[in-house]
Amino acid sequence: MDISGNTIFIPGATSGIGLALAQRLRARGNTVIIGGRRTELLRRLAAEHGFDTVSIDTADAESIRAAAAEVLRAHPDLNVVIAMAGIMRVEDWHHADGFLASAEEVVTTNLLGPIRLVAAFVEHLRTRPRATIVTVSSGLAFAPLKATPSYNASKAAIHMLSESLRLQLADTSVQVIELEPPSVRTALLPGQQDSEFAMPLDEFADEVISLFEAQPDAKEIQVENVKFLRYGEARGDYDQVVATLNAADPHGR
């Protein structure tokens, strides 16, 4: 992906990683449209940062279809979609009433959401000469945190979805890039913003932008902090990685 000159839609960019990347991508000369559910916050971000905005709930199929139509009407030159929106929940799987409703919400948002976003935009993106779909998985796609089973599973599915889409779309102009965050200081879970285990948000976002710039043909964007989780199985120390992860931060990403 080229780092400038794009028109980029980022649903889930009203806070956290999404907003940090949106700000940096706009500063690099891209037109950035951010999406989210909180309309008042969208208006404030538009006024403060100059973003175009669209209301979208990535857990709602009709909302995705309506938002996609709105974005494409206003921005027919759209060539990048970053499927940023996601939720993370602590779950207790000892009893069904401790996890089932949460698990369904996580899968709907984290897996069905990106699938529906791709469905809404892929035909348009195929008409663009330098198009990109950016999926967002996690270090937890490769090493599990015991407190968040559905989140781990949804992000592992996003990893394999990304691998598969890259193969299918290899005969088109659409590049598929998987962003793999480690634990980052955001409000994804209560207390994570202050976690010493988590990577500072600005540090993470700066490194991601640097990697996009340095590796325009990358398949995966991995900051250094995520490689401990990403490559445990390949290194042969997977069990140690899992033990260290769960001992270090029971609620980290």
Side-chain angles (χ1 to χ4, degrees), residues 131-181:
T132 305
I133 296 169
V134 180
T135 60
V136 182
S137 63
S138 168
L140 299 187
F142 308 98
L145 185 65
K146 67 180 180 181
T148 57
S150 299
Y151 181 86
N152 307 339
S154 71
K155 293 302 185 177
I158 289 295
H159 170 65
M160 192 51 65
L161 178 67
S162 306
E163 294 278 285
S164 304
L165 288 180
R166 192 177 299 115
L167 292 172
Q168 281 212 11
L169 297 178
D171 61 347
T172 75
S173 62
V174 182
Q175 181 181 11
V176 178
I177 303 174
E178 179 185 353
L179 173 61
E180 300 164 2

Side-chain angles (χ1 to χ4, degrees), residues 7-246:
T7 300
I8 304 172
F9 177 44
I10 315 178
T14 55
S15 63
I17 291 173
L19 179 57
L21 294 180
Q23 291 169 326
R24 287 159 174 78
L25 287 167
R26 188 173 186 278
R28 292 298 188 103
N30 300 285
T31 298
V32 179
I33 309 102
I34 63 171
R37 294 177 297 174
R38 294 175 285 178
T39 56
E40 181 56 40
L41 180 55
L42 287 171
R43 283 193 290 268
R44 179 167 65 80
L45 291 170
E48 291 178 357
H49 301 285
F51 295 123
D52 286 354
T53 65
V54 62
S55 178
I56 183 172
D57 179 356
T58 56
D60 184 310
E62 182 52 42
S63 177
I64 291 174
R65 283 192 290 269
E70 181 179 344
V71 169
L72 292 176
R73 278 195 301 270
H75 299 279
D77 56 345
L78 180 86
N79 68 314
V80 179
V81 175
I82 302 178
M84 180 60 62
I87 59 174
M88 186 178 192
R89 301 275 176 77
V90 172
E91 300 164 352
D92 181 354
W93 280 53
H94 289 88
H95 305 284
D97 61 0
F99 75 89
L100 184 56
S102 168
E104 290 174 347
E105 291 176 2
V106 168
V107 170
T108 297
T109 300
N110 293 5
L111 181 54
L112 282 180
I115 288 172
R116 289 165 173 165
L117 281 165
V118 172
F121 286 102
V122 68
E123 291 186 8
H124 167 80
L125 292 174
R126 288 179 60 196
T127 70
R128 306 303 300 165
R130 53 188 191 99
T132 305
I133 296 169
V134 180
T135 60
V136 182
S137 63
S138 168
L140 299 187
F142 308 98
L145 185 65
K146 67 180 180 181
T148 57
S150 299
Y151 181 86
N152 307 339
S154 71
K155 293 302 185 177
I158 289 295
H159 170 65
M160 192 51 65
L161 178 67
S162 306
E163 294 278 285
S164 304
L165 288 180
R166 192 177 299 115
L167 292 172
Q168 281 212 11
L169 297 178
D171 61 347
T172 75
S173 62
V174 182
Q175 181 181 11
V176 178
I177 303 174
E178 179 185 353
L179 173 61
E180 300 164 2
S183 180
V184 178
R185 292 180 195 168
T186 70
L188 191 63
L189 277 182
Q192 189 164 320
Q193 285 174 301
D194 303 314
S195 171
E196 291 300 318
F197 178 80
M199 187 174 182
L201 176 58
D202 286 340
E203 181 182 324
F204 169 77
D206 287 343
E207 188 172 347
V208 167
I209 294 299
S210 295
L211 290 169
F212 272 122
E213 186 169 32
Q215 303 172 17
D217 297 322
K219 296 178 179 179
E220 302 177 30
I221 296 294
Q222 306 163 346
V223 299
E224 284 299 316
N225 283 26
V226 82
K227 292 179 180 179
F228 174 71
L229 302 177
R230 173 67 178 89
Y231 293 112
E233 192 163 9
R235 288 190 309 265
D237 60 358
Y238 176 81
D239 289 343
Q240 181 182 345
V241 168
V242 173
T244 301
L245 168 67
N246 285 277

